[in-house]
Amino acid sequence: MKPKAVVLKAAMLPLLLLWCFVAVDGGREEFPGVGPLLVTKESRRTVVSTASGEITAVDVRDGYGGAYHLQFITMAPSSLFLPVLLHTDMVFYVQSGSGRVTYIEEDENEETEHIDVVRGDIYRLEKGSIFYVQSHPDPTRDNLRIHAIFNAVDTDNTKAELPAAAYSNISDLVGGFEDKVLQMGFGVSEETILAIKWVEKPPSIVPFPHTSKTVSFGALRGIRSLAADDEEVTNKKKTKAFNFFEAKPDVENCYGWSTALSHKDLKALKGSNFGAFMVNLSRSSMMGPYWNPKATEIAIVIQGRGMVEAVCIGKPSGETKFKATEGDVVVVPRLHPVTQMSYNDEGFILVGFSSLVGKNRPQFFAGKRSALRTLDREVMATVFNVPTAIVENLLAARVESTILACTSCAEELEGKMKEGSKGEEQPEEDDDEEREAWKVDEEARREADASNASLNVLSSMLWE
Ligand SMILES: *[C@@H]1O[C@H](CO)[C@@H](O)[C@H](O)[C@H]1NC(C)=O
Ligand SMILES: *[C@@H]1O[C@H](CO)[C@@H](O)[C@H](O)[C@H]1NC(C)=O
Ligand SMILES: *[C@@H]1O[C@H](CO)[C@@H](O)[C@H](O)[C@H]1NC(C)=O
């Protein structure tokens, strides 16, 4: 460990990206409890597939007792997603199209409410709610595509178990009772009950030609978008959802933008342990290395492609890098340092959900907001066994923003990944080796102390 090496590495710091992802289970039984860090679009499983729509799903774990179920719901125009009873909270993002979500929440007075949703919206429905979805009837519109997350955070810190399903069919709920019970309960004839119970049940998504009542839905949102410039305030009040494309980003510069939201920005998130975020990296850019002290990020690539690098805490030399493309799910467990970068020829856009275990503020390694800058320089110099000047240099706040230029970073990282994977044993055959999932050493990670972890990470950046 020669100081000379430190200087070199410190100079390269903006190029070194750190980032660790959470494990995802989708069809990867070989890693029980902790799955791969990346779940590709190809490995989603199909739940429902009809002429009117499709539902695919992925399950993810964070190694800290959190388990999450993701569903990707696609509905052709004029379709109906039949009513279901939610077993867990559901937060969803509207990827394309528009439609109406109608729901009854248990604390409301048994009246249905609805929300008209458009691309970019985030909304949350509470567990115990009944809801259904209608896509916009206009056949020229895009399919309504919804990315939803359902949580199953265990309360007793043992292994998280997802409920058998995220929701139940209304017909299954009703049909579960004995005929006689239903007959008495509803006060109807046996024939009525038999008629209900013994006909074939439709799939979850069915065609639903619009009626005069439904034809106008979405109009409000249409007007709002068109009139947004003139009547921004009045119109925004009419919508209850948060829209990423209408909000002012938290960080924005020519390298991209990012927005995070919590219950402060969206009332519907109140009482939920979810937040949401979107990151739009322009070409040749990167999100500076950071970690989340109290949140696990479960992100979906919605456009483009990029590289992700993560550091596995408790295992300082354990870092992973992988390429993520549209439709892939990337999980970054709490405390794991991570960074994302785009290629020179394409942007990289992610929408994600953060599962919060407390108030979370992402901690950045470098730049003005660096968490490490607040530590005593002599202590830091001792940590790394280098002169104070080197630490001063390392931590000087050269970088203004959290989103930075990073020309050819993704390309170089991908090159390193390919080099590295040649030497490593492959745990399974995978025809796309560059997208090889990474196994997290859960035991080691759990043991890692947070503050120690951040120092370990920095030291691995410097000495690796
Ligand atoms: C809902 O209904 C369909 C059709 O009967 C059935 O295949 C499915 O398993 C049911 N349950 C859920 C949770 O979708
Ligand atoms: C992402 O950012 C680029 C420019 O940085 C912009 O052209 C593009 O429209 C943005 N994409 C979205 C979906 O906002
Ligand atoms: C901090 O991390 C180092 C490197 O992994 C390890 O050797 C050490 O025991 C850790 N200390 C604590 C207090 O966890």
Side-chain angles (χ1 to χ4, degrees):
M1 292 199 178
K2 280 171 265 146
K4 204 169 148 203
V6 178
V7 176
L8 284 177
K9 289 279 192 170
M12 283 170 60
L13 194 54
L15 291 174
L16 288 173
L17 304 175
L18 302 174
W19 161 305
C20 234
F21 285 89
V22 172
V24 180
D25 271 350
R28 300 256 188 183
E29 291 80 355
E30 63 269 34
F31 300 146
V34 184
L37 303 172
L38 168 75
V39 179
T40 61
K41 187 177 184 182
E42 294 70 38
S43 54
R44 291 182 195 169
R45 63 176 193 279
T46 301
V47 180
V48 174
S49 181
T50 73
S52 300
E54 184 186 69
I55 302 175
T56 57
V58 159
D59 292 304
V60 175
R61 285 177 192 281
D62 66 6
Y64 290 98
Y68 310 93
H69 178 67
L70 292 160
Q71 286 199 353
F72 302 86
I73 303 170
T74 303
M75 296 170 65
S78 276
S79 305
L80 173 66
F81 172 94
L82 292 170
V84 294
L85 172 66
L86 269 180
H87 299 178
T88 77
D89 271 12
M90 161 176 160
V91 178
F92 64 88
Y93 170 74
V94 181
Q95 163 74 1
S96 69
S98 61
R100 172 168 292 183
V101 178
T102 304
Y103 57 92
I104 312 174
E105 290 189 334
E106 53 182 349
D107 54 346
E108 309 284 335
N109 33 352
E110 302 299 309
E111 300 237 328
T112 62
E113 302 217 17
H114 66 256
I115 175 163
D116 290 339
V117 295
V118 297
R119 174 175 169 268
D121 277 352
I122 285 276
Y123 199 66
R124 173 243 190 165
L125 295 171
E126 283 182 42
K127 61 170 169 275
S129 309
I130 290 173
F131 80 97
Y132 61 89
V133 184
Q134 289 160 275
S135 55
H136 198 285
D138 181 349
T140 65
R141 296 232 173 183
D142 285 342
N143 286 344
L144 173 61
R145 288 195 292 156
I146 289 176
H147 299 344
I149 190 166
F150 306 84
N151 72 326
V153 177
D154 69 321
T155 42
D156 56 4
N157 254 336
T158 55
K159 277 245 141 82
E161 291 298 336
L162 281 161
Y167 47 72
S168 320
N169 286 342
I170 298 301
S171 61
D172 284 358
L173 290 176
V174 172
F177 288 105
E178 292 292 338
D179 297 356
K180 181 79 180 173
V181 171
L182 292 174
Q183 203 184 317
M184 300 312 285
F186 284 89
V188 293
S189 70
E190 194 179 355
E191 287 68 35
T192 307
I193 295 303
L194 291 179
I196 289 171
K197 275 188 88 167
W198 300 111
V199 292
E200 202 189 323
K201 296 295 180 298
S204 326
I205 302 175
V206 294
F208 196 67
H210 62 262
T211 63
S212 56
K213 194 172 168 222
T214 59
V215 74
S216 67
F217 81 70
L220 180 64
R221 294 297 299 245
I223 291 163
R224 185 195 61 169
S225 306
L226 290 175
D229 289 342
D230 308 335
E231 293 175 66
E232 206 171 338
V233 183
T234 39
N235 281 308
K236 272 200 175 150
K237 284 204 170 134
K238 287 191 184 150
T239 172
K240 291 181 282 184
F242 177 95
N243 190 286
F244 280 115
F245 303 117
E246 290 169 9
K248 187 176 166 347
D250 299 336
V251 177
E252 184 173 25
N253 59 34
C254 52
Y255 310 116
W257 57 263
S258 73
T259 300
L261 81 144
S262 67
H263 63 91
K264 287 193 194 122
D265 311 287
L266 176 61
K267 223 176 100 204
L269 284 177
K270 214 167 167 211
S272 127
N273 63 333
F274 278 118
F277 62 91
M278 189 179 280
V279 175
N280 177 354
L281 291 181
S282 312
R283 296 165 187 203
S284 311
S285 302
M286 90 179 224
M287 175 63 86
Y290 67 97
W291 76 92
N292 286 302
K294 291 183 183 162
T296 286
E297 291 183 357
I298 301 130
I300 301 150
V301 181
I302 59 169
Q303 201 181 310
R305 69 195 207 287
M307 283 293 296
V308 173
E309 183 171 23
V311 173
C312 294
I313 60 176
K315 209 179 159 200
S317 58
E319 58 86 53
T320 180
K321 31 188 161 341
F322 53 87
K323 186 175 181 175
T325 60
E326 191 175 323
D328 291 349
V329 175
V330 170
V331 184
V332 184
R334 185 150 63 86
L335 301 176
H336 286 55
V338 64
T339 182
Q340 307 109 313
M341 62 211 87
S342 57
Y343 285 79
N344 292 344
D345 62 353
E346 197 176 13
F348 187 35
I349 310 183
L350 297 137
V351 68
F353 306 101
S354 6
S355 170
L356 306 163
V357 292
K359 205 168 156 198
N360 183 65
R361 188 156 177 255
Q363 301 292 311
F364 287 83
F365 282 92
K368 273 201 300 216
R369 290 184 55 196
S370 168
L372 301 180
R373 292 187 71 208
T374 57
L375 299 179
D376 185 276
R377 296 294 191 269
E378 302 223 331
V379 170
M380 291 296 287
T382 309
V383 165
F384 296 119
N385 192 21
V386 296
T388 323
I390 290 176
V391 168
E392 290 285 358
N393 185 39
L394 174 69
L395 298 178
R398 292 188 198 81
V399 186
E400 284 287 311
S401 179
T402 53
I403 301 180
L404 324 163
C406 208
T407 306
S408 302
C409 292
E411 284 83 352
E412 281 172 28
L413 199 66
E414 185 178 353
K416 286 201 171 159
M417 176 183 72
K418 285 179 171 160
E419 259 169 47
S421 66
K422 276 184 207 133
E424 275 165 31
E425 42 181 302
Q426 301 285 331
E428 63 192 297
E429 87 271 15
D430 190 327
D431 45 4
D432 197 1
E433 85 177 23
E434 52 179 60
R435 306 180 85 192
E436 184 58 58
W438 189 270
K439 185 177 178 180
V440 179
D441 187 337
E442 188 182 19
E443 283 298 311
R445 201 179 60 225
R446 279 179 192 267
E447 280 164 20
D449 169 71
S451 55
N452 193 29
S454 59
L455 294 177
N456 288 345
V457 164
L458 187 64
S459 84
S460 77
M461 286 166 74
L462 292 164
W463 295 114
E464 153 190 296

